Amino acid sequence: MKRRHSIISIFLLVSLLASCGGTTEPEVTDQQTTDSEPETTKYADSVPELNFDEYEFRTIEQDSTRNSFFSEEETGEYMNDAIYKRNTATEERFGVKFAETVKQAYDVLDKTVSNSVMSGTDEFDLVFGQMFNSAKSAVNGGYVDWNTIPYVDFEKPWYTKSIQEASVGGNLLLIESDLCVMYTEQTWLMAYNKTKADEYGVENLYSLVDDGKWTVDKLNTIVTGMYNDLNGDGQRDKDDFYGIGANQDGCQLAAFYYANNVRLANVGNDLSVRSEISSEKSVDVLTKLAKLFNENDGSIRKTDNIATATDQRTKLFVDGTVLFAPLQVSDLVVEEMRSLNSEYGVLPLPKYDEAQKEYYTVVDGGANIMFVPITTNEKQREIVGAIVESMSALSYRDVIPTYCGMALEQKGTRDDESITMLRKILDSRVIDFAYLYDGFSGWAMKLPSLVLDSSSISSKIAKDETAVEKYYNDVVTYLTENAE
């Protein structure tokens, strides 16, 4: 009965999520309150009727992938079974057979694919590499331009809306869609302790978001003065209470930065790269983040006596030590979150000001991203296009809502507001050239050092700007020279 209740709860959440970011609902048959999942009646994609004569479709992915592309059989576990049914439906539809996915460490994976390309061997049809590492490897060539692959329609809601901003000279070498479950898992958001918010008299945060007033200045104001020396020892430590606590790594800060609708760098029509991080607005955003994370008395800083607590992203939040915590969607499903003795909710990251219409976020650079090796021939690329488009649509409709349902089934996040917020968060993801091709030499990984002191941001940018622009321009040169 407990399992049945849980399944019904997830189905209700899936229905409310409407594909967790989508704007249209596919037609479905009547849902049964049983252990079987609802059946669908039509495809959401526009891929024509095709048959690929039992072609064996080969994939490779980084071994940190929790919800793999491949599923061998149904096991009764929600995500595995949703993926298995998606895959089985695709195999039957197109007459293909999915080979078991090869799993390798992210850096080994790129070397394996690179060696395959250099030797001219045909080993993989589709690669799920790590975003940052695979983008860095792209400069060596070997990736097919997705714009040349048939059936893939980037106007569809299962692709990241800003995906073309990651193209170089019209070449789009790596893409994200709902086929990559990890792209949902590693989306940055803000979690907040609803019980503590009530206790400290914080206004309705959902209303702030809906009214367009959830800004970084508002967050700074709420956090200010929220430090409480609970144990009375006069020391800022893990036994006290704070407004916000964060690891402040590059991707996390990049999420806050992009949330303010600014960019790190821009590729011009002449393919030259110009920094945007030195603009007046960008410097203002970085100043606000420096004040929030490193100068606000309500923030836990790395200099505080809590080093062991900040090593784990969710620990301070689960322990009830902070009101706000920047987390990823996957953090909502970890077992530790069940031990939180408070209710919690999810919010988008705060925007720049009330004039900014939309909320934005990015996905961690460790997430999967898809590319196609140039060792594939024209027929194989047609197969890739049909499979990626159709499976992305099925994932958008079935797999991602199942995952979102699991995330929102956790304690304290079953309210309609959290469902609406998670939909808003996933629909706000952006990606562009400067973030994707950071390669640990661009601006994203330099953000932690830039925001340590609000008074030195401009001077630090000026010191590194020439070198970073040269790096980005070199990337553009390599990519355009090696494009197929």
Side-chain angles (χ1 to χ4, degrees):
M1 288 298 294
K2 182 177 181 181
R3 172 178 168 77
R4 180 183 296 269
H5 172 75
S6 182
I7 292 173
I8 293 172
S9 297
I10 288 179
F11 283 172
L12 290 173
L13 286 166
V14 169
S15 176
L16 287 168
L17 279 163
S19 291
C20 223
T23 55
T24 59
E25 290 189 58
E27 180 182 342
V28 297
T29 61
D30 292 338
Q31 294 186 3
Q32 305 296 318
T33 54
T34 68
D35 285 0
S36 61
E37 293 194 16
E39 295 182 357
T40 57
T41 59
K42 67 179 182 180
Y43 297 116
D45 62 80
S46 301
V47 180
E49 183 177 344
L50 300 165
N51 188 291
F52 297 121
D53 301 321
E54 297 301 310
Y55 179 83
E56 184 179 59
F57 193 79
R58 303 149 305 161
T59 53
I60 182 172
E61 67 186 10
Q62 54 175 327
D63 59 8
S64 60
T65 305
R66 295 185 183 94
N67 293 290
S68 178
F69 172 87
F70 179 80
S71 173
E72 185 174 10
E73 61 183 1
E74 291 185 271
T75 64
E77 193 276 322
Y78 303 129
M79 283 299 292
N80 174 82
D81 291 359
I83 290 170
Y84 177 81
K85 291 179 180 180
R86 176 200 67 188
N87 293 6
T88 301
T90 304
E91 288 178 323
E92 294 175 353
R93 177 182 179 184
F94 295 118
V96 296
K97 181 67 176 177
F98 293 132
E100 183 173 355
T101 298
V102 175
K103 288 178 170 286
Q104 293 183 347
Y106 71 92
D107 52 344
V108 177
L109 177 152
D110 282 301
K111 291 177 183 176
T112 296
V113 176
S114 178
N115 290 338
S116 175
V117 168
M118 292 181 66
S119 64
T121 56
D122 176 25
E123 298 181 58
F124 307 107
D125 298 294
L126 181 64
V127 180
F128 296 88
Q130 189 211 51
M131 186 190 300
F132 276 7
N133 204 71
S134 292
K136 187 174 182 179
S137 298
V139 300
N140 298 319
Y143 297 6
V144 177
D145 177 10
W146 279 96
N147 292 310
T148 67
I149 295 178
Y151 312 126
V152 177
D153 183 357
F154 295 118
E155 296 299 316
K156 297 294 187 180
W158 38 85
Y159 296 101
T160 303
K161 290 188 296 186
S162 64
I163 191 65
Q164 289 293 355
E165 290 188 40
S167 64
V168 179
N171 296 313
L172 185 60
L173 304 180
L174 304 104
I175 66 168
E176 294 286 9
S177 83
D178 282 343
L179 181 53
C180 297
V181 178
M182 192 185 287
Y183 194 63
T184 292
E185 292 176 324
Q186 296 196 5
T187 299
W188 285 100
L189 53 77
M190 183 76 84
Y192 82 100
N193 188 314
K194 294 164 70 175
T195 303
K196 292 292 185 181
D198 291 341
E199 182 180 326
Y200 281 81
V202 177
E203 59 194 292
N204 189 309
L205 296 172
Y206 291 142
S207 295
L208 276 180
V209 173
D210 292 338
D211 294 341
K213 298 179 179 180
W214 176 235
T215 66
V216 67
D217 284 336
K218 186 65 175 181
L219 175 59
N220 244 318
T221 299
I222 294 173
V223 170
T224 299
M226 189 160 282
Y227 169 68
N228 191 349
D229 184 11
L230 295 178
N231 58 12
D233 64 358
Q235 301 292 322
R236 292 171 60 91
D237 53 38
K238 61 183 179 63
D239 296 319
D240 297 334
F241 184 75
Y242 305 80
I244 190 169
N247 288 354
Q248 297 186 50
D249 60 45
C251 291
Q252 183 183 90
L253 286 171
F256 275 87
Y257 180 84
Y258 277 80
N260 285 258
N261 199 25
V262 285
R263 294 293 189 265
L264 298 168
N266 178 51
V267 182
N269 293 331
D270 60 354
L271 296 183
S272 64
V273 181
R274 300 173 182 83
S275 292
E276 293 190 19
I277 197 170
S278 56
S279 71
E280 182 178 351
K281 180 180 178 181
S282 296
V283 172
D284 188 43
V285 170
L286 292 172
T287 300
K288 294 176 187 292
L289 296 181
K291 291 179 177 179
L292 172 64
F293 290 116
N294 291 303
E295 297 170 17
N296 194 311
D297 65 351
S299 298
I300 287 183
R301 297 176 287 272
K302 287 188 175 182
T303 54
D304 293 324
N305 185 28
I306 54 162
T308 56
T310 56
D311 290 341
Q312 183 180 342
R313 191 164 53 236
T314 59
K315 182 169 178 53
L316 289 173
F317 190 70
V318 169
D319 288 347
T321 305
V322 296
L323 174 62
F324 295 106
L327 300 178
Q328 296 176 9
V329 174
S330 61
D331 294 324
L332 303 179
V333 303
V334 298
E335 186 64 30
E336 289 80 6
M337 289 295 281
R338 294 182 180 274
S339 64
L340 177 65
N341 292 321
S342 303
E343 292 190 348
Y344 66 90
V346 295
L347 304 167
L349 297 180
K351 57 183 183 175
Y352 182 68
D353 57 22
E354 293 183 29
Q356 181 179 317
K357 293 183 179 180
E358 304 292 336
Y359 294 95
Y360 301 106
T361 189
V362 300
V363 176
D364 195 88
N368 280 339
I369 197 164
M370 296 182 288
F371 66 90
V372 180
I374 60 171
T375 46
T376 54
N377 59 36
E378 183 177 351
K379 183 62 177 179
Q380 289 170 310
R381 295 173 194 180
E382 181 187 12
I383 296 172
V384 168
I387 287 177
V388 167
E389 180 71 8
S390 61
M391 292 186 74
S392 295
L394 287 174
S395 294
Y396 170 85
R397 188 184 65 188
D398 300 327
V399 177
I400 298 303
T402 296
Y403 185 82
C404 293
M406 291 172 60
L408 293 176
E409 176 66 9
Q410 307 302 308
K411 179 180 180 180
T413 57
R414 303 179 202 180
D415 54 78
D416 291 346
E417 291 92 344
S418 287
I419 296 171
T420 301
M421 291 301 154
L422 188 55
R423 181 190 301 124
K424 188 185 297 289
I425 291 161
L426 293 180
D427 199 41
S428 73
R429 291 171 292 184
V430 297
I431 191 171
D432 68 353
F433 163 81
Y435 184 65
L436 176 59
Y437 291 98
D438 181 85
F440 298 94
S441 297
W443 285 118
M445 293 301 107
K446 296 183 186 299
L447 292 176
S449 63
L450 291 180
V451 301
L452 285 175
D453 182 358
S454 61
S455 65
S456 62
I457 292 172
S458 294
S459 61
K460 286 182 179 179
I461 291 174
K463 179 182 176 181
D464 290 337
E465 195 159 21
T466 299
V468 173
E469 284 192 355
K470 181 182 184 306
Y471 162 74
Y472 279 137
N473 277 297
D474 286 345
V475 170
V476 171
T477 299
Y478 294 141
L479 290 175
T480 53
E481 287 181 351
N482 290 310
E484 186 183 70

